[in-house]
Amino acid sequence: MDSRNSARSVRTSCCGFAGFAIFSLHMKIFLFAVMAGLCAPPAGAQLAERSHVVVIHAARMLDVAGGRVVAPGEVLVEGERIVAAGAHVDRPAGAEVIDLGDATLMPGMIDAHVHLFLHVGAEDLQTVQESVPERTLIAAGAAKADLMAGFTAERDMGSEGAGCADVAVRNAVNTGLIPGPRMRMSCNAIDLTGGHEDAIGYNPAQKVLSNADYADSAEEIVKAMREQRKIGADFTKIYETGRDSYRDGVFKTPYQYTEAELAAAVKEAERTGGGVGSGRGVAVHATGEPGTGYAVAAGVASVDHAYQLSDATMRAMKEKQIFAVPTFAIAEYFADHAATPERAARGKAEQAYHAAEFKKQLAAGVPMAMGSDVGPFPHGTQARELELMVEYGMKPAAALQADLLNGAKLLGWGGQIGELKAGYFADVIAVPGNPLEDISVTTKVSFVMKGGGVYKQ
């Protein structure tokens, strides 16, 4: 999790690269067997077959790119792909018809900033008290909860000390062992010694490890990236700022890596296929200047949190199409569940600052993607982020386009997910009402199909 001045002191690593090596093949086999039993698709779930043909009908359908609703709405699905979508589609002989009545069909939602390996509770103790196998089981449950809430694709922004156990979760989803969204995984985040995620404040004699992988130079960043990608990481997450302070209306945060060090990371990602639109680049936790500016100058894929962006940084993000991922929902949750009234007031004031900066970013044309930072607040509730994006200045159509169109690009699945179009994956959800008039309907998903398989109806 990337909490700022709230519930988290710093957590420990239950598993770095050495720890992941201990997480042996035999443990994986045992773990997957347990997960298959505990986290199987719901009873009666229909998984897609290559020849299976389905027509989904509802009163309305969202045209994401057009920012409009089509009435009625129908989607023709064969196997895992959409064959046609529109007000009416052909109904081949023998096709199964799913009539969802007074609902709106939408593409499955996308959350570009999640933490499957975190849950509600004392974050700073989870990686100390819970083993990696236990946390992996928890992550499997979180993946299922997110899918049932209509999130059919996600980017997991760091396993929070569980090394590359997130790769095992992704692989289990992909092979059908457990239900979950399409996933992009980063393994541990990368951080400085004494940085945002390091175990500051613990008894040094206990040698409590960082919740991220240590890297104190460009060479060490590249080495960590190579280790992670060898094990199966899709992309790289780097902590670029922290810890934050907000006092008397002034937001400050120290940077961690120089522009040159971040550029080395971006270059390494590009060497292994991590170019623009690949979903395999570099994402940074960066809340403010100068770190946000260094990250954008280096050419990262996304600036997550983005509380503070200078005019020059905003111009560069628009020019380079680098996404800001605001993560309002987690800040709201921390403020609402603060330990003291003083912390609650501080959290709300910082959220108000972020909301004001967000309006400036929208006016400057900064590309936005939706990411909630879910984990420290309950998985499956993160559509709240869309409500807050609208509350703080976006039109519902723009918020949905940020989530679906930009989210697909950021995860490297542009042209495959995020719209109901022929040739796209059959990731289809249904909500009551019209999301262009009331964005809150995205919190009330009644139907979930992913890859042609029905998980919720």
Side-chain angles (χ1 to χ4, degrees), residues 199-218:
I200 301 167
Y202 285 90
N203 176 2
Q206 296 298 320
K207 301 189 185 303
V208 177
L209 298 176
S210 172
N211 214 35
D213 289 328
Y214 290 115
D216 292 320
S217 66

Side-chain angles (χ1 to χ4, degrees), residues 161-209:
C164 287
D166 56 352
V167 171
V169 174
R170 180 200 66 204
N171 293 349
V173 170
N174 289 347
T175 56
L177 283 172
I178 61 174
R182 304 178 190 281
M183 296 297 310
R184 294 298 193 192
M185 298 303 196
S186 67
C187 298
N188 275 342
I190 294 174
D191 193 27
L192 291 170
T193 302
H196 182 73
E197 282 290 290
D198 208 350
I200 301 167
Y202 285 90
N203 176 2
Q206 296 298 320
K207 301 189 185 303
V208 177
L209 298 176

Side-chain angles (χ1 to χ4, degrees), residues 410-436:
L410 182 54
L411 271 61
W413 287 314
Q416 298 186 74
I417 64 173
E419 295 188 77
L420 300 180
K421 295 176 68 173
Y424 281 53
F425 283 112
D427 295 354
V428 186
I429 65 173
V431 297
N434 183 344
L436 298 181

Side-chain angles (χ1 to χ4, degrees), residues 41-48 54 56 77 96 98 100 103-110 143-154 179-182 380 420 425-432 441-457:
Q46 171 201 308
L47 301 181
V54 179
I56 310 169
V77 175
E96 177 188 0
I98 300 175
L100 299 176
T104 301
L105 300 179
M106 288 177 46
M109 291 183 286
I110 301 168
K144 179 179 178 181
D146 290 352
L147 178 63
M148 295 304 136
F151 287 87
T152 55
E154 295 185 330
R182 304 178 190 281
L420 300 180
F425 283 112
D427 295 354
V428 186
I429 65 173
V431 297
V441 300
T442 57
T443 68
K444 304 176 181 71
V445 172
S446 59
F447 173 86
V448 177
M449 170 184 279
K450 179 195 141 194
V454 177
Y455 288 86
K456 180 177 182 179
Q457 183 177 353

Side-chain angles (χ1 to χ4, degrees), residues 14-152:
C14 293
C15 175
F17 298 130
F20 186 77
I22 297 172
F23 189 59
S24 67
L25 177 62
H26 295 294
M27 177 59 77
K28 290 182 195 174
I29 293 170
F30 165 77
L31 183 58
F32 285 159
V34 174
M35 287 194 292
L38 293 181
C39 301
Q46 171 201 308
L47 301 181
E49 299 174 3
R50 186 176 298 274
S51 60
H52 189 62
V53 179
V54 179
V55 174
I56 310 169
H57 173 90
R60 297 166 299 277
M61 183 178 73
L62 178 65
D63 173 0
V64 181
R68 65 191 184 103
V69 163
V70 175
E74 293 188 342
V75 180
L76 174 61
V77 175
E78 183 172 357
E80 66 177 5
R81 298 277 180 172
I82 295 172
V83 176
H88 300 282
V89 299
D90 291 336
R91 298 192 178 192
E96 177 188 0
V97 177
I98 300 175
D99 190 339
L100 299 176
D102 186 19
T104 301
L105 300 179
M106 288 177 46
M109 291 183 286
I110 301 168
D111 192 334
H113 194 126
V114 308
H115 290 282
L116 294 181
F117 285 76
L118 289 178
H119 57 83
V120 175
E123 293 174 55
D124 57 332
L125 297 179
Q126 288 173 29
T127 58
V128 178
Q129 296 174 338
E130 298 168 3
S131 69
V132 172
E134 180 182 359
R135 296 185 68 210
T136 307
L137 288 170
I138 291 169
K144 179 179 178 181
D146 290 352
L147 178 63
M148 295 304 136
F151 287 87
T152 55

